[in-house]
Amino acid sequence: MSTELYFAELLLRDGEKKLLPMEAKKEENRVILSLSKDLIPRDFVSLRLVPVLFQAKVGDAGYFVLPRSGSGALAYFTDKKDGEERMDASFLAFFGMKAPGSAKLLLMRGMANGCEFVLSLHDGVYALYPEIKATFSDIYEDVSFELYFLTDEADYSSMARLVRERLIALGDIRPLVEKAKERPLLSYMAASPEVRIRMGWKPAPPEILEQTRENEPPMHVACTFDRVGELIDELKKQGVEKAEICLVGWNKSGHDGRWPEMFPVEPLLGGEEGLKRLVRKAEEAG
């Protein structure tokens, strides 16, 4: 495990930069890093963990594990063009790095909802680090991270399992099997296929960028409520006893129609009464 000091770089409005040492508490295969919010002045511009731990050069073997687009991605060290990508850390608040002979992971804790992860490439060097910007969030709690040093054999799958186990232990998430014990609807959904039906939509890409009620293009009707009822009958006929019917674009003008104005229920699909009949039919079908 690394024994080096850990710093956060603070940028102030006057352009001054300061290095703030972070408190480091070592526990088995991890280091818990923290920085008191009282040490961060109100006129700060940004605060970031100094990116020395998660760095690589173009052409190196290995990859970064990223929380991109609310899911995840692997970034290999193959690009050569300088640039920067920012990722919201509030949904999946961790990233990792796999390199020959080493693997490590950073789990954001305090200030995760006010943080971004930054992936940069400059002069052939990759860097990955968390950053909090004053334009994005105030410092409302102590900044803290959990830094894990994993075995040489660890990979992205190992990192994902570690994060899941840790978040369950912290009480941040609960497995579906546990939630289903208390919520019968979840138990039903877990055992049922989802049937997603896109009811209707406007032309895409849009022909009219600035749409009003007077100039909006007509909606394409793909499936009415009565037609969904026929599909439910067919599902029962084919022996499908459980299903979750997901209607997309039932709102006024269909999918992405007059959003965020949802009502009235689109008349071309059968209107509100047609939707109510369909709900009753689905319930009667189980």
Side-chain angles (χ1 to χ4, degrees):
M1 181 185 297
S2 173
T3 58
E4 62 188 300
L5 296 176
Y6 302 94
F7 293 92
E9 182 182 83
L10 183 69
L11 176 61
L12 302 177
R13 292 179 185 174
D14 60 4
E16 181 184 1
K17 292 183 179 180
K18 292 183 178 181
L19 287 180
L20 303 179
M22 300 193 71
E23 181 180 343
K25 181 180 179 182
K26 296 179 175 62
E27 297 181 353
E28 297 182 355
N29 68 330
R30 71 180 179 185
V31 177
I32 299 178
L33 304 175
S34 61
L35 180 65
S36 172
K37 61 182 175 60
D38 297 330
L39 298 177
I40 305 171
R42 295 184 61 86
D43 64 342
F44 86 106
V45 174
S46 66
L47 178 76
R48 68 173 184 170
L49 185 65
V50 176
V52 295
L53 291 169
F54 293 83
Q55 285 188 329
K57 295 180 180 179
V58 172
D60 284 354
Y63 51 79
F64 285 135
V65 180
L66 305 174
R68 183 179 290 160
S69 302
S71 55
L74 301 182
Y76 293 89
F77 310 128
T78 56
D79 287 343
K80 298 181 180 180
K81 184 178 180 181
D82 286 1
E84 179 181 284
E85 178 182 356
R86 292 179 171 269
M87 294 151 279
D88 182 6
S90 61
F91 183 67
L92 289 174
F94 77 95
F95 60 73
M97 178 178 177
K98 173 66 177 177
S102 69
K104 45 198 168 187
L105 179 143
L106 184 142
L107 175 62
M108 187 83 184
R109 293 300 300 161
M111 284 303 300
N113 289 326
C115 181
E116 292 179 308
F117 294 148
V118 183
L119 172 61
S120 68
L121 174 58
H122 183 68
D123 290 340
V125 177
Y126 284 93
L128 180 60
Y129 55 90
E131 182 177 55
I132 302 168
K133 302 188 74 173
T135 53
F136 192 57
S137 179
D138 293 328
I139 304 295
Y140 55 84
E141 62 182 353
D142 292 348
V143 179
S144 61
F145 315 92
E146 295 182 6
L147 180 61
Y148 291 83
F149 296 89
L150 310 177
T151 63
D152 296 350
E153 296 76 23
D155 58 8
Y156 66 90
S157 181
S158 309
M159 297 178 193
R161 288 195 298 272
L162 188 154
V163 171
R164 180 180 185 274
E165 292 168 0
R166 183 64 179 141
L167 294 182
I168 289 176
L170 290 167
D172 289 2
I173 61 174
R174 295 178 62 204
L176 182 60
V177 67
E178 295 297 326
K179 294 180 182 179
K181 294 177 182 178
E182 305 167 1
R183 300 165 63 183
L185 180 58
L186 281 181
S187 180
Y188 180 97
M189 293 169 64
S192 309
E194 178 184 0
V195 182
R196 187 176 187 272
I197 304 173
R198 201 162 174 230
M199 310 293 291
W201 57 84
K202 290 183 180 181
E207 302 168 355
I208 304 172
L209 296 180
E210 301 294 334
Q211 296 182 13
T212 66
R213 296 184 180 185
E214 292 72 30
N215 69 3
E216 65 178 340
M219 184 194 77
H220 169 71
V221 176
C223 186
T224 65
F225 298 134
D226 288 342
R227 177 58 178 155
V228 176
E230 294 174 357
L231 295 175
I232 290 175
D233 290 337
E234 185 63 26
L235 286 170
K236 296 291 287 187
K237 181 179 177 182
Q238 296 296 330
V240 179
E241 293 300 326
K242 292 184 177 182
E244 178 192 354
I245 310 296
C246 175
L247 304 183
V248 181
W250 56 265
N251 50 286
K252 184 67 185 81
S253 299
H255 187 261
D256 290 338
R258 288 186 183 172
W259 187 261
E261 182 180 340
M262 299 178 66
F263 295 101
V265 178
E266 176 52 54
L268 294 177
L269 302 177
E272 184 173 335
E273 290 305 314
L275 180 55
K276 288 180 178 179
R277 287 196 304 272
L278 176 60
V279 170
R280 289 194 295 268
K281 183 179 184 70
E283 290 176 342
E284 291 168 358

